[in-house]
Amino acid sequence: MWEAVGNSSPGTTMLVFDRVTTLKQHLRKLERQGLRIGFVPTMGALHDGHLSLIAQARARAEVVVASVFVNPKQFGPTEDLARYPRDLEGDRSKLASAGCDVLFVPSVEEMYPPGFQTEVEVTQASQGLCGAARPQHFKGVTTVVLRLFSIVHPHVAVFGEKDYQQLTVLRTMARDLGLDVEVIGAPLVREPDGLAMSSRNVYLSPEDRQRALALSRGLRQAEARFAAGERRGAALVDAAQAELSQVGLTAEYLELRDAENLEPRAEARGPVVLLVACRVGATRLLDNVIMGRVSS
Ligand code: AMP
């Protein structure tokens, strides 16, 4: 089944598919016309961070495909799968206005038909950081993204640096398997007060929303120390830690890593990333800052 949804640009429409076979037929036709396909996978509840990925895909491809699929395989048994925010109507109109051409909204059965048993795992980059608290998470991400890539055949796929470990894991998968897709990392988009945009921010109470600002404030402090010449990893971590402590938050992790391969770094030499995960109330938030990158 597919349907057309009005798009803000006159004379254009966004097509919405919920079946793999019909989406494949449509995209293979475009592929035969030699059109470049850009792809943005999401779990919906879209915000401006997601829409920035659509803009990045738009700049690099003639056809922009987005997916909205809350992937059960990347949630642990005690995580928020059942209450993950869903707003398909809102997502459709945001994507159409952002210039998305094709939206794929499969059911769980469509993505994982009975008998589905294949898993894809990137063994090293998935360890530590989020992989420590969420042991099956990245296997769920790589499995769904490879399945989506095999349906969409994108020339370019855009993922946010907001989920920096995820981006690294997916780059590694594409490299190791020799996938013909260019994986692009898009800059982290923040709220005006600094909070990293996330679909999960809606869970925060007004008080926790205020406390959550300590994450981005801490990372900014570390960045300022780096800009002033500090290169000791421990000092950069301490600068961020001080802001968290002030509002009584304890990080699940707060670590300096190599920005390319995520190996631990004691010194900020070459491109590095300071990554934090922290529970604020019941909500687990991620943030990071990249330092020493030539292009940033
Ligand atoms: P999600 O729907 O949370 O799975 O995210 C879908 C894509 O959007 C992923 O590639 C995320 O990294 C990206 N994304 C989410 N939040 C942001 C943000 N604040 N800035 C940039 N990209 C983001």
Side-chain angles (χ1 to χ4, degrees):
M1 183 210 90
W2 65 269
E3 56 183 304
V5 177
N7 180 307
S8 67
S9 333
T12 60
T13 54
M14 181 175 79
L15 299 179
V16 183
F17 295 83
D18 61 6
R19 290 295 161 98
V20 170
T21 45
T22 41
L23 175 66
K24 274 185 167 178
Q25 278 165 13
H26 179 69
L27 293 179
R28 288 310 86 80
K29 217 161 46 200
L30 301 179
E31 211 172 52
R32 284 195 294 275
Q33 292 168 23
L35 297 174
R36 258 177 85 77
I37 296 176
F39 181 40
V40 178
T42 81
M43 296 206 300
L46 301 181
H47 50 64
D48 286 350
H50 296 111
L51 300 182
S52 77
L53 310 191
I54 299 290
Q56 295 268 355
R58 187 80 273 163
R60 293 174 168 83
E62 286 134 325
V63 180
V64 175
V65 181
S67 60
V68 170
F69 178 62
V70 182
N71 174 32
K73 286 189 188 291
Q74 69 189 70
F75 289 78
T78 61
E79 293 180 356
D80 58 343
L81 173 62
R83 65 183 194 112
Y84 193 82
R86 287 167 168 85
D87 175 22
L88 191 53
E89 275 320 299
D91 293 345
R92 283 159 62 128
S93 71
K94 284 175 194 165
L95 287 168
S97 304
C100 179
D101 300 302
V102 174
L103 170 59
F104 182 43
V105 280
S107 64
V108 173
E109 295 70 33
E110 191 67 10
M111 285 299 282
Y112 304 122
F116 188 100
Q117 54 190 281
T118 300
E119 288 179 333
V120 186
E121 187 169 14
V122 172
T123 53
Q124 280 166 43
S126 300
Q127 299 296 315
L129 302 172
C130 287
R134 309 184 74 190
Q136 301 299 311
H137 172 67
F138 289 114
K139 193 157 67 178
V141 171
T142 40
T143 299
V144 78
V145 170
L146 189 59
R147 168 106 175 93
L148 287 165
F149 280 2
S150 78
I151 296 165
V152 174
H153 293 188
H155 297 83
V156 50
V158 188
F159 298 90
E161 288 179 345
K162 150 84 178 11
D163 301 280
Y164 200 86
Q165 188 177 15
Q166 169 175 279
L167 172 63
T168 308
V169 165
L170 291 170
R171 277 199 166 122
T172 306
M173 176 181 79
R175 184 202 66 196
D176 288 355
L177 299 181
L179 303 181
D180 288 323
V181 55
E182 189 186 353
V183 174
I184 302 285
L188 196 164
V189 176
R190 298 179 180 282
E191 299 288 355
D193 61 9
L195 183 68
M197 286 189 184
S198 165
S199 303
R200 290 188 167 98
N201 289 349
V202 297
Y203 298 152
L204 293 166
S205 68
E207 298 75 39
D208 283 343
R209 172 78 181 61
Q210 273 308 111
R211 292 169 78 216
L213 294 178
L215 274 75
S216 52
R217 219 168 35 234
L219 296 178
R220 273 204 310 276
Q221 293 292 346
E223 204 177 14
R225 297 285 302 274
F226 178 84
E230 181 60 77
R231 292 294 179 268
R232 291 169 302 159
L236 299 172
V237 166
D238 285 350
Q241 179 60 56
E243 292 293 331
L244 295 180
S245 303
Q246 269 204 359
V247 296
L249 292 176
T250 306
E252 182 184 299
Y253 63 75
L254 173 57
E255 292 187 40
L256 189 73
R257 298 280 182 122
D258 185 292
E260 287 289 311
N261 55 24
L262 286 185
E263 281 173 11
R265 285 282 172 263
E267 297 255 312
R269 311 264 169 215
V272 290
V273 55
L274 183 61
L275 307 109
V276 62
C278 186
R279 245 174 228 290
V280 182
T283 309
R284 188 170 174 278
L285 300 177
L286 302 183
D287 204 342
N288 68 74
V289 64
I290 301 162
M291 294 174 280
R293 186 164 65 173
V294 180
S295 59
S296 66

